[in-house]
Amino acid sequence: MPRFVHVPTEATTHLIRQAYEAGGPYQWAREAWKNSEESGASIIHFGIEEQAAERQGVLRRTIMDNGAGMRPEDLKIFLTTFGGGGKPIGVDGNFGQGFKSSVLPWNPYGVVVISYTAEAPDGAMLWIYRDSNGNYALREWSTEDENGEFVSLTDVVQPFVDDEHGCDWSHIRPLWMHTGTIMVLLGSAPDSDTWMGDQDPSRKETVDDLIRYLNSRLIEVPQRNGVPIETTVVDLYAKKSSDRRDTRDKTVNLPDGRAMVWRPRRVHGLRHYIPDAAVTGTVTVDEHGTQVDWFYVPEPEPPVGGTADYIVQRPVAVVDYQGEAYHTDRGKSRYRLFGITDEIMGRTWLIVRPPVYSDSQPTRWGVITQASRHILFGKGGTELPWEEWGDAFFESFPEELAKAQREARARDTTQTDPSMAKNLARILDRLNPRFKASRVLSSAMGKVLGYPSGSFAGTSGLRGPRPAGGSGKPGGTGGTSGPRHVLVPATAGSMQGSPSRVRGGYPTFDWKRFDPEESKHLAQYVRNDLRTIEGTEYRGVVYLNSTHPVFVQEFAHWADQIWPKADPAKVRELVQRVYGEEAVAHVVHAQRLNGTLVGKTEDNEPILIGEADVQQLLEPTALSAALLGLVNVEQRILTQGGGQFGRRADA
């Protein structure tokens, strides 16, 4: 018989600890909820064990459901098998290690599991703990015969009266449970309070955040017979003696005389918090069928509905993986990838729904979750294609969102001055032969794979194909006739293409006050942002930080020291225009470098500047550095200001 690979007992604790660290806060709650949901439960209750609370003042978190329960032999497998738990194992399924690895490290004294099934109507109970050697084991009890004589040790017993721990384990079972499972978290000692969650200094969990975590992790609570699974989390607070009316919530008296109110709070899922008034739609963003559901909440409706039991009180962008939210992000950079600009991001929700990779379809692209079920990656271990998704969404940008952005900008008094935009256009026209925009265009002989973005060469900023029967003109070198697709590069793309330099599509610039989290930067480039100024459409905007000390000092220097008699607003306008033009020139030049040969390796392989390199040159930090110490900017300001404001005062 061949020797099979296995994990030594002494290594299990390290694997569990590693998985625990990878999982993040509240992962134990997700794993417990998922196990209950997969058992067919219609009720999942995160409670607090009342007997030990009243007798000993110990507040232990319980998790119970009315699912199918586990037979005694299955219960033992569930608790003692790392990476199994009696369920099928696959990359698209629960891995059988989640609950154990997320809960055992912070409950070394033990986790009690009691399950009720048709085979064990009185319940089967196990207790798993960490022994003195650091290994996880099942607690054993002695069994006796009718004469009280010792017979053997067993690790599966019926729930019993346990004076040491202040409870009758059989009395934890609620009236609504016929079959199902109960888990009691015992913490690190007999008197540990676990109702707040994991109290490791790096986590310091709270009940409020536990509820918000579940509400943000679950996209929608699944239904049983047309009714959402009733998921509740018990919170508790001290009942004030001044309260004259009795609460409808349960009150438990602790041994120290405190009266604590047990308050159940409901979990609804993320979708519940998107207001019904939201305008919504769906955009397909790749050939694999990935879709982005968008929701825009118009004013004056609050952008987040419901109660405060939500992780953040503003919209988010998430990835929907099997009904759960991953990669939750409310940052500007994520939204900007999709063309959702700052004016409306605070009212826009994005739910990305990629296909799930499955062992049953190994050649089909999809996303997979890490073993800890904390992050996602694409087939082959690749990162999620956020930029490709964002570009495709932007190319098919919903008109409702575009209208909302236009209306928001119409209310903004800091828009770009049209005269500044015209001057920028003239400058870029002169640079056009040198700095042409880089795009991948469809070509039968092309070697770059991609999928159609919805735009065509020669129609910068327009979305959708030209009408059938339109007059196509020769495509230049290569003899391609008619409009050529602008492709979004993708290794799994369906269309061949080749890089091409085409005119148009230049960015503009705008000055504004940066938010605190971005205030260190002088500038930032948002490529998926359209601006139409005086009939000219600009693709991308370079934003400059009007309140950064470098620029504030520049404004003061030119207005106070160089042209103190001139209108300071006009001087400021000149300085802003020259710096804005310089920033745009940096962006355009950086984009022009894409595909540039810069050298060769020892094996004579070409070294090219790629898209990722260009993106690094356009990061806020790099762009900010490029705007420091510009002697040419100073000279341009002097030259243009001399004709407008006269001789400099310090000459």
Side-chain angles (χ1 to χ4, degrees):
M1 174 179 286
R3 182 179 178 85
F4 295 102
V5 175
H6 71 288
V7 178
T9 300
E10 60 273 14
T12 305
T13 183
H14 301 296
L15 292 176
I16 289 177
R17 184 70 194 188
Q18 186 180 53
Y20 163 81
E21 295 294 348
Y26 307 103
Q27 188 73 17
W28 59 272
R30 179 266 165 200
E31 301 296 339
W33 185 92
K34 189 65 177 178
N35 288 337
S36 295
E37 186 265 335
E38 290 182 344
S39 75
S42 62
I43 299 175
I44 304 174
H45 184 65
F46 290 77
I48 300 173
E49 204 284 296
E50 298 176 23
Q51 299 173 88
E54 291 182 322
R55 298 172 187 173
Q56 299 181 345
V58 180
L59 303 172
R60 299 177 182 133
R61 175 60 70 187
T62 65
I63 309 160
M64 55 185 74
D65 65 62
N66 65 344
M70 289 180 280
R71 295 176 300 176
E73 57 269 28
D74 294 333
L75 191 60
K76 187 180 295 189
I77 293 173
F78 170 76
L79 282 179
T80 60
T81 304
F82 182 72
K87 292 186 291 185
I89 301 299
V91 297
D92 56 341
N94 239 18
F95 300 115
Q97 69 187 53
F99 180 74
K100 293 179 283 291
S101 61
S102 62
V103 79
L104 291 178
W106 62 279
N107 288 277
Y109 187 69
V111 176
V112 169
V113 182
I114 308 168
S115 202
Y116 296 89
T117 62
E119 295 88 345
D122 295 325
M125 172 177 160
L126 286 85
W127 181 323
I128 189 170
Y129 71 104
R130 191 166 67 211
D131 65 17
S132 57
N133 295 319
N135 298 318
Y136 293 100
L138 294 179
R139 182 173 177 175
E140 295 182 317
W141 290 272
S142 60
T143 60
E144 302 172 346
D145 59 21
E146 62 274 9
N147 299 318
E149 297 292 328
F150 172 81
V151 175
S152 64
L153 293 175
T154 181
D155 47 26
V156 181
V157 296
Q158 287 187 5
F160 60 93
V161 176
D162 188 349
D163 292 331
E164 179 185 359
H165 298 95
C167 68
D168 180 343
W169 296 107
S170 66
H171 286 179
I172 299 176
R173 180 184 188 178
L175 295 176
W176 47 262
M177 181 187 292
H178 299 290
T179 62
T181 301
I182 299 171
M183 301 181 185
V184 185
L185 311 185
L186 304 179
S188 58
D191 59 351
S192 293
D193 290 338
T194 59
W195 69 285
M196 296 279 282
D198 188 352
Q199 296 303 294
D200 183 275
S202 66
R203 307 199 180 203
K204 272 292 182 184
E205 296 175 350
T206 67
V207 178
D208 282 343
D209 284 341
L210 167 61
I211 297 165
R212 291 169 183 158
Y213 168 83
L214 289 172
N215 270 322
S216 63
R217 181 64 186 251
L218 305 176
I219 301 289
E220 288 186 273
V221 175
Q223 295 189 349
R224 295 279 185 261
N225 300 318
V227 178
I229 295 173
E230 182 181 311
T231 302
T232 52
V233 178
V234 169
D235 194 3
L236 55 83
Y237 62 93
K239 185 177 182 181
K240 298 179 181 179
S241 59
S242 59
D243 290 344
R244 294 191 176 183
R245 65 179 182 86
D246 290 331
T247 176
R248 290 182 297 175
D249 300 324
K250 181 180 295 186
T251 299
V252 175
N253 296 306
L254 305 186
D256 61 5
R258 288 181 297 160
M260 304 298 292
V261 176
W262 260 233
R263 170 174 292 177
R265 293 162 66 180
R266 190 73 176 264
V267 173
H268 298 282
L270 178 148
R271 185 67 181 80
H272 172 81
Y273 294 90
I274 303 178
D276 293 336
V279 181
T280 182
T282 299
V283 177
T284 300
V285 292
D286 64 23
E287 62 178 3
H288 308 295
T290 301
Q291 294 184 316
V292 177
D293 296 332
W294 59 269
F295 306 82
Y296 174 73
V297 185
E299 294 188 77
E301 183 80 19
V304 179
T307 65
D309 288 343
Y310 182 65
I311 193 73
V312 288
Q313 287 305 297
R314 59 199 245 188
V316 292
V318 303
V319 179
D320 181 348
Y321 180 86
Q322 297 182 324
E324 297 181 62
Y326 284 76
H327 297 274
T328 300
D329 197 329
R330 62 180 185 272
K332 292 183 177 181
S333 59
R334 176 59 45 83
Y335 274 91
R336 288 168 179 165
L337 288 176
F338 290 81
I340 309 295
T341 55
D342 299 359
E343 294 92 347
I344 66 169
M345 63 169 287
R347 293 188 161 273
T348 306
W349 302 73
L350 296 177
I351 301 178
V352 183
R353 295 186 288 109
V356 174
Y357 176 79
S358 175
D359 288 329
S360 63
Q361 295 179 300
T363 61
R364 182 171 177 261
W365 186 87
V367 298
I368 313 169
T369 179
Q370 181 195 42
S372 66
R373 302 190 72 88
H374 192 51
I375 61 173
L376 300 174
F377 53 90
K379 175 189 174 183
T382 59
E383 294 184 0
L384 298 185
W386 285 108
E387 290 192 0
E388 294 175 11
W389 288 341
D391 288 348
F393 185 91
F394 180 64
E395 294 296 345
S396 301
F397 202 69
E399 176 55 32
E400 296 90 339
L401 292 179
K403 179 181 178 182
Q405 287 187 162
R406 290 194 298 268
E407 292 176 348
R409 284 172 175 164
R411 299 189 296 267
D412 186 358
T413 58
T414 63
Q415 296 185 57
T416 305
D417 185 344
S419 64
M420 295 166 65
K422 287 182 178 180
N423 189 57
L424 175 62
R426 288 194 295 269
I427 292 174
L428 292 179
D429 281 343
R430 292 197 298 270
L431 295 176
N432 198 45
R434 295 174 57 195
F435 303 147
K436 293 181 180 179
S438 175
R439 297 185 183 180
V440 175
L441 302 183
S442 58
S443 171
M445 303 298 292
K447 297 182 179 180
V448 179
L449 291 178
Y451 54 85
S453 66
S455 290
F456 291 76
T459 56
S460 176
L462 298 180
R463 301 181 180 87
R466 295 177 178 175
S471 59
K473 295 184 178 180
T477 304
T480 303
S481 62
R484 299 168 65 188
H485 286 276
V486 176
L487 303 183
V488 177
T491 56
S494 59
M495 187 174 289
Q496 292 175 294
S498 59
S500 177
R501 305 297 177 186
V502 296
R503 300 189 179 197
Y506 290 115
T508 185
F509 64 89
D510 198 359
W511 287 81
K512 70 173 186 177
R513 175 191 293 269
F514 280 18
D515 289 340
E517 63 268 23
E518 299 176 321
S519 59
K520 293 181 180 180
H521 300 131
L522 276 73
Q524 57 191 4
Y525 172 54
V526 181
R527 67 178 185 178
N528 285 345
D529 191 350
L530 288 179
R531 289 291 180 91
T532 301
I533 305 173
E534 294 291 290
T536 301
E537 187 175 70
Y538 296 87
R539 180 162 183 152
V541 177
V542 183
Y543 290 99
L544 296 105
N545 186 0
S546 60
T547 58
H548 195 284
V550 168
F551 290 135
V552 171
Q553 292 169 17
E554 279 286 278
F555 300 150
H557 168 74
W558 293 102
D560 298 343
Q561 304 297 322
I562 307 302
W563 295 297
K565 297 180 181 179
D567 182 351
K570 295 294 184 181
V571 175
R572 180 188 179 102
E573 178 183 311
L574 169 64
V575 175
Q576 287 184 327
R577 175 168 56 79
V578 174
Y579 267 102
E581 293 164 357
E582 187 74 20
V584 170
H586 276 294
V587 170
V588 174
H589 199 173
Q591 292 173 329
R592 177 64 178 83
L593 293 175
N594 189 16
T596 301
L597 177 67
V598 295
K600 292 187 177 181
T601 66
E602 294 180 355
D603 298 327
N604 207 35
E605 293 292 329
I607 301 175
L608 301 176
I609 294 178
E611 183 67 29
D613 303 309
V614 173
Q615 292 303 317
Q616 289 182 339
L617 294 174
L618 299 179
E619 289 293 324
T621 300
L623 193 54
S624 297
L627 292 174
L628 294 174
L630 298 178
V631 177
N632 59 313
V633 167
E634 302 265 316
Q635 187 58 47
R636 287 179 59 199
I637 294 174
L638 277 174
T639 300
Q640 297 181 33
Q644 185 175 357
F645 308 124
R647 185 177 181 182
R648 54 188 294 177
D650 63 345

